DNA sequence: AACCATACGGACCGGCAGTCCGCTTTGTAA
DNA sequence: TTACAAAGCGGACTGCCGGTCCGTATGGTT
């Protein structure tokens, strides 16, 4: 079963689109300010190409996020402490939350775009499911927690992209402040 | 300074629109399935009327929510325990969260519509600010909490409409289950 | 060179939020 | 009762956007 090789023009266009989209989202105040026509034009590509490659708007954004999040995923799945699977739960839970928050801080526009793009709730997204499963399993290694699944959802909710945006924007909270707060909060949830 | 009285036809139309919108949102799977044209048609009213009265889509949804939430607001601002201001913090915090959750469960379509309607993040909405301020003040009456504002945000995030929708829908959690979980979670955050 | 699967691009479509403006209704004052 | 202005009305219209369609071009293969 040979894997059909991607044509060179197709590959070139894919790169151009990803680069253009990334730049556009980074520049724009709100993800809504970036239309698919904008992306196509900036990439020097037709709309048809754009949609055939990525399916729809959500697919495009997901591709961008996926590319950025890959190293983090590796670190969580098979890396060393404090993110890797061998880390003791008490240490790993805050580390996981900090990693999620850190990612959203470093990629605010993308995280926001992904959450905001309506097609289905954020909770259906594959990468949310993965974070949730990982966090839940880690919480399971801890005694005295009522329900690890709900707790995982609740903890992750504290890192929602629009909340991060609000805290950083309207409330003027710094990245460091946020990290400190969520660490303290996680500690509290874990019962010190 | 006389308050210009609302014309009777205007009042009739306002009621018709609110009733029609409420019914439409309740019937539809997703808020996105209800367009402003739909609402106008169902209310037997022109689009112009709709927009002059409510400004925009967000204004319409906000008016619906406001009407429903009024009694709850009263109860929190000047009612008896466990919601009223005289309640001891340890008891009031879970009560407030349960009230928020209960409201979203009882008005899933409206809560979802309000969160989903893009114009500005949910955190800019007047009613979120109010819940946050109330919860923060209550948390301030408690010892040993690192940052009441952040904690209030984090706790409220656990009641986000789309999370509620996900838990009730995809995960099949019952309303009672959810209330129990959030109560336990709140207790945990407060350090028992 | 010949062939065809793959990819390309932009005109096109349906639907939506929000605006505009000529017409109607309502309340009031003569 | 009539006259009149303010308030309200409605639906055609605009601009935009995500997504599709299809005739054309191009890269790989034999």
């Amino acid at each position: 079963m040979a894997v059909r090789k991607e044509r060179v023009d197709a590959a070139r266009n894919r790169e151009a689109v990803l680069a253009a989209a990334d730049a556009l989202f980074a520049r724009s105040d709100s993800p809504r300010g970036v239309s698919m026509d904008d992306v196509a034009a900036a990439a020097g590509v037709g709309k048809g190409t754009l949609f055939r490659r990525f399916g729809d708007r959500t697919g495009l954004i997901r591709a961008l996020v996926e590319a950025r999040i890959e190293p983090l995923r590796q670190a969580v799945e098979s890396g060393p402490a404090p993110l890797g699977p061998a880390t003791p739960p008490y240490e790993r839970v805050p580390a996981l939350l900090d990693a999620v928050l850190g990612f959203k801080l470093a990629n605010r526009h993308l995280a926001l775009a992904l959450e905001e793009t309506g097609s289905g709730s954020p909770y259906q997204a594959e990468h949310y499911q993965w974070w949730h499963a990982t966090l839940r399993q880690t919480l399971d290694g801890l005694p005295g927690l009522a329900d690890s699944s709900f707790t995982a959802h609740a903890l992750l909710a504290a890192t929602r992209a629009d909340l991060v945006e609000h805290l950083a924007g309207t409330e003027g909270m710094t990245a460091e402040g946020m990290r400190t707060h969520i660490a303290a909060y996680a500690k509290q949830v874990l019962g010190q």
Side-chain angles (χ1 to χ4, degrees), chain A:
Chain A
M1 177 87 253
V3 176
R4 282 218 170 280
K5 238 184 70 187
E6 183 180 34
R7 260 168 56 168
V8 296
D9 52 344
R12 188 173 1 101
N13 282 331
R14 201 193 61 240
E15 292 307 320
V17 166
L18 287 175
D22 204 29
L24 247 36
F25 280 120
R27 197 170 314 149
S28 169
D29 291 345
S30 154
R32 297 190 179 257
V34 179
S35 73
M36 295 298 271
D37 289 78
D38 291 342
V39 174
V45 146
K47 259 181 105 169
T49 304
L50 189 49
F51 279 93
R52 186 164 4 78
R53 186 65 53 183
F54 298 99
D56 58 12
R57 188 183 165 89
T58 305
L60 171 60
I61 297 170
R62 195 166 296 166
L64 284 166
V65 170
E66 223 59 55
R68 296 280 190 105
I69 218 173
E70 190 47 33
L72 184 49
R73 211 161 183 153
Q74 292 284 340
V76 170
E77 273 179 344
S78 56
L83 280 180
T87 319
Y90 268 110
E91 188 185 347
R92 201 188 186 201
V93 170
L96 287 173
L97 283 177
D98 187 66
V100 175
L101 180 60
F103 180 80
K104 298 203 185 181
L105 283 164
N107 302 279
R108 271 164 68 171
H109 42 284
L110 287 187
L112 208 53
L114 189 57
E115 263 187 27
E116 204 165 280
T117 295
S119 96
S121 83
Y123 295 95
Q124 306 294 345
E126 185 264 285
H127 88 277
Y128 180 86
Q129 311 254 12
W130 177 79
W131 279 116
H132 177 257
T134 306
L135 188 55
R136 195 200 60 228
Q137 280 160 26
T138 309
L139 288 168
D140 272 334
L142 247 36
L145 236 62
D147 183 294
S148 61
S149 176
F150 183 86
T151 305
H153 280 306
L155 285 173
L156 286 174
T159 72
R160 292 274 301 243
D162 52 1
L163 177 54
V164 168
E165 194 66 22
H166 173 72
L167 292 175
T170 312
E171 299 200 4
M173 191 179 288
T174 65
E176 288 70 33
M178 237 179 279
R179 297 179 102 122
T180 307
H181 280 129
I182 206 149
Y185 181 73
K187 213 175 156 192
Q188 194 119 10
V189 172
L190 301 189
Q192 316 294 334

